[in-house]
C-alpha cells in the first residue's frame, strides 16, 4: 500500500510542477486563473492521499475548506478580469 | 480492512493520479485558455474524484461522509468555474481561432446586432433552420 501512496504522490507532484510552469509562463491572466484552480485541486488530491496513508481524519475539514476557497477564488478572479480591462 | 478493498483502492488512486498527471500535461501544452480549461475541468475533476473514492475505502465511516461531500462539491463547482472562465475568455477575445471547429455564439451575436440595427427578418430564418435541423 505504501508503494501505491508514493506513486500517487509522485504523479501528483509532477502534475503540480507542469501546472506551475504554466502559472509562471501563462500569457494571460485567465491562463493563470485556470492553472491556480488546477493547483488547488491537486493539493486537495494530495491531502486526500495523506488522509488515506496516515489515517488522518482530522485533515478532512481542511479538504472541504480548500475546495470551497479554490472555487470562490477562481470565479471571483474570472469575473474581475471580465469587468475590468486594465488587468488583462 | 481486507485485501480486496486495498486492491480496489489502489487501482482507483493510481488511475486518479494518472488523470491528474494528464491534466497537468494538458494545462502546460494546450494552445489557449479555453483548451487549457478543457484539460483543467474534465481530466482534473475525474482525477480528484477517483482519488477521493480511493481514500473513502481507507478511512472510517465518519470521515467517509465528509470526503464524499468534497467529491460532490467538486462535481458541482467545476462546471461553474469552467463556464465563467470560458465566457470571460470569449468576451475578452483570447481565443486561438484556427482551433475552433464551430462558433455558434458568433452567429447569435451577429443576429442580435442585426436585429438591433433594425432588420427583423434575418433572425426568423435562422430560428427556422435551427428547428428543422
Amino acid at each position: 500500500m505504501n508503494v501505491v501512496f508514493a506513486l500517487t504522490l509522485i504523479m501528483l507532484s509532477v502534475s503540480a510542477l507542469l501546472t506551475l510552469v504554466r502559472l509562471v509562463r501563462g500569457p494571460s491572466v485567465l491562463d493563470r486563473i485556470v492553472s491556480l484552480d488546477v493547483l488547488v485541486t491537486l493539493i486537495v488530491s494530495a491531502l486526500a492521499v495523506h488522509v488515506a496513508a496516515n489515517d488522518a481524519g482530522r485533515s478532512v475539514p481542511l479538504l472541504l475548506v480548500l475546495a470551497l476557497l479554490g472555487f470562490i477564488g477562481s470565479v471571483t478572479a474570472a469575473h474581475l478580469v471580465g469587468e475590468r480591462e486594465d488587468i488583462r | 480492512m481486507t485485501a480486496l478493498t486495498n486492491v480496489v483502492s489502489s487501482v482507483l488512486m493510481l488511475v486518479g493520479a494518472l488523470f491528474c498527471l494528464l491534466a497537468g500535461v494538458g494545462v502546460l501544452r494546450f494552445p489557449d485558455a479555453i483548451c487549457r480549461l478543457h484539460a483543467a475541468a474534465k481530466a482534473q475533476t475525474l482525477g480528484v474524484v477517483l482519488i477521493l473514492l480511493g481514500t473513502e475505502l481507507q478511512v472510517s465511516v465518519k470521515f467517509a461522509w465528509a470526503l464524499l461531500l468534497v467529491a460532490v462539491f467538486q462535481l458541482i463547482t467545476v462546471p461553474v468555474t469552467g463556464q465563467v472562465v470560458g465566457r470571460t475568455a470569449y468576451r475578452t477575445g483570447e481565443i486561438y481561432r484556427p482551433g475552433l471547429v464551430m462558433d455558434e455564439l458568433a452567429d447569435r451575436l451577429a443576429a442580435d446586432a442585426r436585429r438591433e440595427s433594425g432588420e427583423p427578418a434575418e433572425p426568423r430564418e435562422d430560428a427556422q433552420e435551427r428547428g428543422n435541423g
Side-chain angles (χ1 to χ4, degrees):
Chain A
M1 217 48 213
N2 278 330
V3 181
V4 174
F5 292 143
L7 271 177
T8 310
L9 285 180
I10 288 172
M11 282 198 258
L12 290 178
S13 309
V14 172
S15 178
L17 260 177
L18 297 177
T19 313
L20 263 183
V21 173
R22 174 53 64 200
L23 180 65
V24 173
R25 284 194 355 200
S28 71
V29 181
L30 283 174
D31 293 322
R32 298 200 166 94
I33 292 172
V34 170
S35 40
L36 263 181
D37 197 42
V38 171
L39 208 57
V40 170
T41 318
L42 281 172
I43 293 172
V44 169
S45 316
L47 266 175
V49 176
H50 161 71
V51 169
N54 302 331
D55 201 14
R58 277 191 301 175
S59 303
V60 171
L62 196 58
L63 283 179
L64 267 173
V65 171
L66 213 54
L68 193 86
L69 277 183
F71 164 65
I72 293 173
S74 303
V75 171
T76 312
H79 263 296
L80 194 67
V81 172
E83 281 174 14
R84 286 180 45 183
E85 294 182 359
D86 52 335
I87 54 171
R88 280 170 210 161
Chain B
M1 203 164 296
T2 62
L4 182 65
T5 343
N6 274 346
V7 169
V8 174
S9 166
S10 305
V11 170
L12 283 175
M13 278 192 168
L14 286 176
V15 174
L18 197 65
F19 273 106
C20 286
L21 186 61
L22 286 176
V25 173
V27 167
L28 182 61
R29 301 265 314 165
F30 280 165
D32 69 342
I34 287 188
C35 295
R36 285 174 197 140
L37 192 63
H38 163 76
K42 299 184 188 78
Q44 182 63 54
T45 310
L46 186 55
V48 72
V49 168
L50 284 178
I51 287 183
L52 284 170
L53 285 180
T55 309
E56 300 256 2
L57 298 175
Q58 298 282 329
V59 297
S60 59
V61 181
K62 64 177 175 178
F63 299 131
W65 279 107
L67 285 174
L68 200 64
L69 203 62
V70 176
V72 170
F73 196 71
Q74 282 287 325
L75 288 178
I76 293 173
T77 57
V78 165
V80 179
T81 313
Q83 201 269 337
V84 171
V85 175
R87 181 176 185 278
T88 310
Y90 191 93
R91 302 276 157 150
T92 54
E94 283 166 10
I95 292 181
Y96 175 63
R97 286 278 165 191
L100 288 184
V101 176
M102 57 159 65
D103 187 355
E104 290 180 327
L105 185 55
D107 300 342
R108 288 292 184 91
L109 291 178
D112 278 356
R114 268 201 304 273
R115 191 162 45 206
E116 274 179 21
S117 64
E119 295 174 39
E122 201 70 40
R124 290 285 146 69
E125 281 176 22
D126 209 33
Q128 209 171 19
E129 267 178 28
R130 197 162 287 134
N132 290 336

